[in-house]
Amino acid sequence: MILRIDRLQTELPPPSDPDPAGAAAVQELLGGKFGEMSTWLNYTFQSFNFRSRQGARPFYDLLCSIATEEFGHVELVSATVNTMLTGATPIDNGRAPEAALAELKGTGNPHHFLAGGQGALPQNSQGRPWNGDYVFSSGDLIEDLTHNFFLETGARNNKLKVYEMVEHPAARALTGYLLVRGGVHQVAYARALERLTGADMMKLFPSPRIPTDRIPECQPHIQRGEHLKLYRFSENAFREVEAVFNGPHPETGEELVVAEEPHPEGAPATDLPPQPAVFAPGYAPEEIVEIAQRLRKDAGLPDEPTGEVSEHSADPFAALTRA
């Protein structure tokens, strides 16, 4: 079972100037061959299909821990795309004005507006759907771990390219975090292969040669030790990962650690405002809020919503000028 925490794994800046073209590029980190959907489902199916689970428990625990973190990365990339698309369409009296989407022709991924509510989709940067053929689960532990190491290598390569291509603050915050965390996963799989086979995978580092110590958006995470730490995403399970994830970091020489806390502290997400031009969350979003308020009252819930959102979140209807 998966326990879901209503927080992002790291803080993202609130919406600023929309960047539909940049959002299309960030989609590669979601639905591309080396995107977060691929890493998440590769490791998840490998953990589902794992045989001799008890006998090889440290390696099973490693796969489970990383797979669950990758689920959170899918959420984080999606939140970034949604942030970058916020404000790309106009708001007028809570209704979509005439030709509201006309200026978006030829900009970014039209599916963000035509097939989705101005939000992330399981597609790559070309708008092609994520493909289940990207999932590799051979059943052979060494083969799977080797595949996973190079999957993380390709993923980090893509993240650096997106960092260099897209200047939007949300994209930079995302890639800065993922470059650090992806490096942890890369080290983890290399260490697991070393423990199984004796191969000195540490000689491959850094691969690719990404200078995270010189990327400003990586610095806060490195200073907190996030480049050394593996999370289990469980209160009590998967503790045998400590038998695999240990020893010196191949680049810094610092000691690798399995976190005592089950997951990162994270940060609440920004409550993104409605985008009525694409019916998100509806043609008349204020009516949905009124219905929700009535249902909340009938259920005996507090007048104010109980969920946690970022302090950057504003009144979602402040921008709607009601007639």
Side-chain angles (χ1 to χ4, degrees):
M1 292 188 289
I2 303 295
L3 175 66
R4 183 164 179 170
I5 309 298
D6 191 15
R7 293 171 74 88
L8 298 177
Q9 286 185 12
T10 192
E11 184 177 9
L12 290 177
S16 51
D17 291 337
D19 184 3
V26 174
Q27 279 281 164
E28 191 68 24
L29 305 184
L30 185 61
K33 184 176 181 179
F34 296 99
E36 301 299 339
M37 289 191 63
S38 292
T39 53
W40 167 41
L41 288 171
N42 268 268
Y43 313 153
T44 295
F45 272 92
Q46 289 171 17
S47 69
F48 288 168
N49 299 338
F50 202 102
R51 295 182 182 274
S52 189
R53 183 176 298 188
Q54 286 295 84
R57 171 61 69 169
F59 302 101
Y60 172 72
D61 286 5
L62 180 74
L63 280 172
C64 291
S65 300
I66 298 178
T68 310
E69 179 168 356
E70 299 291 2
F71 182 24
H73 289 180
V74 172
E75 179 185 33
L76 192 61
V77 178
S78 298
T80 301
V81 171
N82 296 342
T83 298
M84 297 171 71
L85 292 173
T86 297
T89 55
I91 295 176
D92 183 18
N93 293 329
R95 301 290 190 272
E98 185 177 355
L101 305 179
E103 294 184 4
L104 294 167
K105 285 186 295 187
T107 301
N109 179 359
H111 270 199
H112 282 153
F113 306 93
L114 299 177
Q118 210 163 311
L121 294 167
Q123 299 177 352
N124 67 9
S125 56
Q126 296 178 314
R128 295 176 180 172
W130 181 83
N131 192 331
D133 287 343
Y134 296 157
V135 173
F136 183 89
S137 179
S138 73
D140 183 304
L141 181 58
I142 293 175
E143 189 175 0
D144 284 349
L145 292 172
T146 303
H147 165 84
N148 295 352
F149 174 80
F150 288 105
L151 180 60
E152 290 289 348
T153 302
R156 293 187 78 224
N157 197 324
N158 276 6
K159 287 157 190 165
L160 180 64
K161 291 172 181 175
V162 170
Y163 178 90
E164 294 177 338
M165 181 181 291
V166 185
E167 296 179 329
H168 193 280
R172 288 290 177 90
L174 169 77
T175 48
Y177 179 75
L178 293 182
L179 281 168
V180 173
R181 294 307 300 162
V184 172
H185 300 165
Q186 195 181 29
V187 170
Y189 288 128
R191 185 67 77 197
L193 283 165
E194 183 180 5
R195 299 291 189 246
L196 270 175
T197 68
D200 188 359
M201 300 289 289
M202 299 302 111
K203 291 182 178 179
L204 293 173
F205 284 90
S207 178
R209 296 190 177 277
I210 297 176
T212 52
D213 59 331
R214 299 208 305 268
I215 297 176
E217 290 81 3
C218 292
Q219 289 308 303
H221 310 298
I222 292 173
Q223 290 167 11
R224 289 197 304 270
E226 294 293 331
H227 61 303
L228 305 170
K229 190 181 297 185
L230 193 70
Y231 296 97
R232 295 174 294 105
F233 291 87
S234 175
E235 291 292 340
N236 298 306
F238 311 123
R239 290 192 176 275
E240 289 195 20
V241 68
E242 296 177 358
V244 175
F245 190 77
N246 54 46
H249 189 284
E251 294 177 71
T252 70
E254 300 167 280
E255 195 69 17
L256 301 172
V257 295
V258 176
E260 278 301 313
E261 63 274 24
H263 54 78
E265 181 181 355
T270 298
D271 187 8
L272 301 178
Q275 304 289 280
V278 291
F279 304 90
Y283 185 63
E286 67 274 15
E287 293 180 5
I288 295 176
V289 170
E290 292 171 0
I291 293 170
Q293 288 173 337
R294 186 169 65 250
L295 293 173
R296 185 183 299 116
K297 182 177 181 180
D298 292 345
L301 295 172
D303 291 339
E304 295 297 322
T306 56
E308 182 186 21
V309 294
S310 168
E311 62 182 15
H312 300 298
S313 302
D315 179 353
F317 296 100
L320 292 176
T321 304
R322 293 180 175 81

